Amino acid sequence: MYADIASGGELYTALKGGLPPERVVFHGNNKSEAELRYAIENNIHRIIADCVEELERISRIAAELGTEASVSLRLSPSVTDNTIHTAVQTGKLDSKFGIPIETGAALEAVKLALSLDGIRLAGIHCHLGSPIYDAGIYVNGADVMLRFAARIQKDLHYTLEELILGGGYAVRYLPDQTVPSIPDYIKAISEGVQASAKKHGLPLPELVLEPGRSIVAETGITVYTVGSIKNIPGVRTYVAVDGGMADNPRYMLYGSQYDITLPERAAEEKTQLITLAGRCCECELLGKDMYIQPVKAGDLLAVLCTGAYNYSMASHYNRIPKPPVVMVRGGEDFVAVNRERWEDLAAFDV
Ligand SMILES: Cc1ncc(COP(=O)(O)O)c(C=O)c1O
């Protein structure tokens, strides 16, 4: 396994956590000079260049440092599907990510990458969006990428070594969702890649997948305490907890759905229809029209499947300190990240 990072801070954290730099892949659509320099100095496994400016920047820094960076090009394959939320359709033409294949820009970028000093072109990359419930979308993406690989082989005599097809493997946010298993995805994708490579007359590239949230999402649970309950007869019942968009902005960003339960009465039937509100000074919610066991102020309330894109997306909005992270290993729990205090919030104020 390798680790994908998307900023200098994530690189710092990965290295500090003991991950060898040769296991790190650097993503992002606008990496800074300082971040690229830090990555190249540490000789990380791969930098995924998102645009021509980045290629030029990497080339200059690597040349200055007298080294060569191993680079893959993020391409925009114009592949999407309306089962992916519009806010996370990252493989379409109209996206901030990647160099478009459709406009001819990708071909020019490969030509440039092959000509620049300090760059070793390792392959091409795309990420289509997330979550993707239909593995067939990856097969379409792979075919576009391999058709492009055939074009660069013919025009530029460059044989593709590595194809990265991104992440987006779905997880079970709701109990009635059916989600392909990782082996299902791998089978569909690898068969698609083999068929496309054959169709386009290419040797099989090494295939890299970026499993992202599917590794950790289902391992995480956010536990809140219920504070106030506001029942508006004939309208709805708002149950407010001691968190909200500051620790989980995903409902507000893209209407993400979650399953909830009262951990202390989890075996009881969920008979009460509620809307789960946060405590921030916005009309923010954690979810609408959700069933839960009969709930009262003071109850613990758990939101399930919050192991990915929750703590990492948390902010200090309304100066709410971030909650602690408690992990469980071999039946023993331990604090992995401390609870923040009000003093911590003021620590950088001058
Ligand atoms: C380039 C890239 N790869 C993989 C992922 C992982 O996606 P997910 O965690 O939704 O599977 C992301 C998520 O932002 C990404 O930007």
Side-chain angles (χ1 to χ4, degrees):
M1 295 272 277
Y2 291 67
D4 283 338
I5 54 127
S7 72
E10 288 190 352
L11 175 55
Y12 177 83
T13 308
L15 298 180
K16 196 121 201 291
L19 199 81
E22 61 274 14
R23 295 249 154 204
V24 178
V25 180
F26 194 174
H27 291 275
N29 69 310
N30 188 21
K31 307 169 193 72
S32 74
E33 173 92 15
E35 289 173 322
L36 287 171
R37 189 170 288 274
Y38 180 37
I40 296 168
E41 276 169 358
N42 276 282
N43 206 15
I44 67 165
H45 174 67
R46 195 85 82 237
I47 302 176
I48 313 293
D50 205 278
C51 55
V52 163
E53 290 83 352
E54 226 167 61
L55 266 181
E56 288 167 341
R57 229 175 280 156
I58 296 166
S59 163
R60 177 173 44 74
I61 297 168
E64 271 170 40
L65 294 171
T67 185
E68 197 172 54
S70 174
V71 171
S72 188
L73 281 181
R74 178 161 178 169
L75 306 183
S76 160
S78 302
V79 170
T80 191
D81 186 279
N82 58 17
T83 59
I84 308 171
H85 192 286
T86 49
V88 273
Q89 291 178 357
T90 49
K92 60 185 179 184
L93 179 64
D94 185 2
S95 163
K96 73 170 185 174
F97 292 110
I99 306 165
I101 294 178
E102 190 181 321
T103 63
L107 187 64
E108 289 308 310
V110 173
K111 208 183 288 177
L112 179 68
L114 293 173
S115 73
L116 285 173
D117 285 338
I119 287 191
R120 196 191 83 72
L121 187 64
I124 53 176
H125 170 284
C126 69
H127 174 63
L128 304 173
S130 186
I132 297 175
Y133 291 89
D134 172 7
I137 297 168
Y138 293 102
V139 176
N140 299 342
D143 194 54
V144 173
M145 296 294 275
L146 288 173
R147 194 185 323 134
F148 177 73
R151 176 86 196 270
I152 53 182
Q153 178 151 312
K154 180 168 158 282
D155 290 7
L156 307 174
H157 311 293
Y158 173 78
T159 301
L160 184 66
E161 290 165 29
E162 182 186 84
L163 174 64
I164 312 181
L165 283 180
Y169 306 104
V171 295
R172 217 160 134 259
Y173 283 108
L174 297 175
D176 56 0
Q177 268 171 336
T178 40
V179 169
S181 68
I182 293 290
D184 291 339
Y185 281 115
I186 290 175
K187 185 167 188 299
I189 294 168
S190 54
E191 285 175 0
V193 167
Q194 287 179 48
S196 290
K198 196 165 168 198
K199 179 168 101 186
H200 299 295
L202 290 167
L204 276 180
E206 185 160 339
L207 178 62
V208 177
L209 309 175
E210 298 172 339
R213 93 182 63 204
S214 65
I215 303 170
V216 289
E218 292 180 27
T219 68
I221 296 172
T222 306
V223 182
Y224 301 99
T225 302
V226 175
S228 56
I229 298 181
K230 175 177 176 178
N231 177 247
I232 311 167
V235 181
R236 67 179 63 250
T237 299
Y238 288 94
V239 172
V241 291
D242 57 345
M245 64 183 275
D247 62 85
N248 184 357
R250 294 189 66 253
Y251 180 78
M252 299 309 289
L253 277 174
Y254 17 73
S256 303
Q257 309 270 302
Y258 288 98
D259 188 21
I260 54 173
T261 191
L262 300 185
E264 292 160 312
R265 301 208 299 282
E268 286 177 27
E269 209 182 329
K270 296 179 181 176
T271 52
Q272 192 177 355
L273 184 65
I274 67 155
T275 282
L276 191 60
R279 53 150 308 164
C280 299
C281 66
E282 301 281 334
C283 292
E284 42 95 53
L285 302 175
L286 288 161
K288 221 175 194 174
D289 300 332
M290 309 156 100
Y291 277 97
I292 195 161
Q293 297 87 353
V295 57
K296 58 181 187 326
D299 282 344
L300 295 180
L301 185 151
V303 176
L304 309 184
C305 203
T306 59
Y309 304 111
N310 281 251
Y311 193 83
S312 57
M313 278 191 174
S315 75
H316 286 136
Y317 184 52
N318 286 155
R319 291 231 149 179
I320 298 171
K322 291 185 195 172
V325 177
V326 178
M327 289 191 172
V328 181
R329 184 199 286 138
E332 298 289 321
D333 61 274
F334 62 97
V335 174
V337 182
N338 284 324
R339 180 187 296 283
E340 290 180 350
R341 304 154 306 169
W342 288 331
E343 308 87 280
D344 298 321
L345 298 169
F348 288 96
D349 296 353
V350 177

